Amino acid sequence: MAGNWKMYKTPAEGKTFVRSLAQRIGTVEHAVVVVAPPFTGLSAAVDAALGTSVSVAAQNVFWDEQGAFTGEISPPMLTSLGVRWVIIGHSERRLLFGETDQGVARKVRAALDHGLLPILCVGETEEEREAGLTEERLASQVSKGLADVRPDEAQLLTLAYEPVWAIGTGKTATPEIAQEAISFVRGRVAAALDPEAAQVIRILYGGSVKPDNIGELMVQADIDGALVGGASLDVESFAAIVEYPR
Ligand code: PEP
């Protein structure tokens, strides 16, 4: 269960949030709980998360280790803070900041090379869904995003299927639509890597996940967890998602 805070929360707010969340959820055995603060809040969040069931993700990373790349943050910079996870290719990065599938693949490779666990986001836009292009788009994002990954690395990888039309809109994909798309994504992982990798890889659903819809999403056969935006900004609602009815 991963919470993407996007461009919200100061370091102090993030620290308070992680402390409260950790206290609220206690020891969690059925799920891995991850929060993704902005870069400026990573260090405070890692400190607050030490010794708890919460771990910390960055929302982006660059592929080189160092160099003249103004404004970028490298994998070793993240690992040196104690960050374990990184979200790569979120639709906001792709649509607002021009990230390409090729860049996403380089970031996934760089993350793995430095011991960061990538959460690779894929998903179709509303126009693509209406034009019947959902599968084509997902197939292309999966095969290109995983272009430099080996099958034996599947256990280190998490995919997140996030239909762009469901992000921050309050329009959740129905559990059936989410299941159908995630099952398709799993099939494309089998093609890109191998069938065993497709079973091992974790695939999350993201898009307006809330405490009242997480249960019906999690019973779907291929949904292993959720990537949560808005509802991860509040301790009570994110805790309720982590503790979804099982
Ligand atoms: C997201 O940002 O990845 C997301 C799914 O946002 P929300 O839950 O707000 O739709």
Side-chain angles (χ1 to χ4, degrees):
M1 294 296 180
N4 172 17
W5 292 354
K6 311 195 185 195
M7 201 173 71
Y8 293 100
K9 296 195 190 295
T10 63
E13 288 166 347
K15 188 170 192 162
T16 304
F17 181 102
V18 172
R19 281 193 181 143
S20 315
L21 177 69
Q23 203 168 31
R24 167 73 177 70
I25 60 179
T27 304
V28 178
E29 279 169 4
H30 69 278
V32 179
V33 183
V34 178
V35 295
F39 285 127
T40 50
L42 288 171
S43 187
V46 167
D47 285 351
L50 270 183
T52 75
S53 286
V54 180
S55 60
V56 177
Q59 297 174 20
N60 186 21
V61 67
F62 192 62
W63 51 76
D64 269 344
E65 287 181 23
Q66 58 181 3
F69 301 108
T70 301
E72 296 297 325
I73 301 286
S74 73
M77 290 172 181
L78 296 177
T79 53
S80 70
L81 293 181
V83 172
R84 275 297 278 145
W85 301 80
V86 60
I87 298 171
I88 295 177
H90 189 279
S91 62
E92 286 154 15
R93 301 284 334 152
R94 293 177 189 260
L95 294 169
L96 303 175
F97 301 100
E99 287 202 5
T100 63
D101 285 319
Q102 289 67 30
V104 164
R106 288 184 80 175
K107 291 180 177 194
V108 170
R109 185 64 259 159
L112 290 170
D113 286 343
H114 289 276
L116 283 166
L117 301 168
I119 302 173
L120 166 60
C121 302
V122 300
E124 80 287 1
T125 62
E126 190 154 33
E127 297 74 51
E128 286 162 346
R129 178 160 282 269
E130 279 169 5
L133 297 173
T134 299
E135 292 195 346
E136 194 178 306
R137 184 78 187 115
L138 294 178
S140 154
Q141 287 177 329
V142 170
S143 68
K144 289 177 181 162
L146 298 182
D148 301 323
V149 173
R150 298 187 309 272
D152 66 296
E153 292 174 310
Q155 83 278 4
L156 304 173
L157 269 173
T158 303
L159 294 186
Y161 166 65
E162 299 207 304
V164 178
W165 46 270
I167 295 181
T169 59
K171 282 193 212 170
T172 323
T174 63
E176 293 72 28
I177 290 180
Q179 165 58 28
E180 192 186 355
I182 290 179
S183 163
F184 177 79
V185 165
R186 211 177 279 286
R188 299 322 299 167
V189 174
L193 301 177
D194 65 26
E196 199 189 321
Q199 289 315 308
V200 167
I201 205 164
R202 283 175 291 239
I203 311 185
L204 315 181
Y205 167 76
S208 298
V209 172
K210 304 275 182 288
D212 61 6
N213 60 24
I214 183 68
E216 63 193 24
L217 289 161
M218 290 304 293
V219 294
Q220 302 299 316
D222 283 291
I223 301 184
D224 298 321
L227 180 53
V228 185
S232 75
L233 293 170
D234 174 77
V235 170
E236 264 318 304
S237 75
F238 192 48
I241 289 170
V242 169
E243 294 172 343
Y244 67 93
R246 296 181 300 287

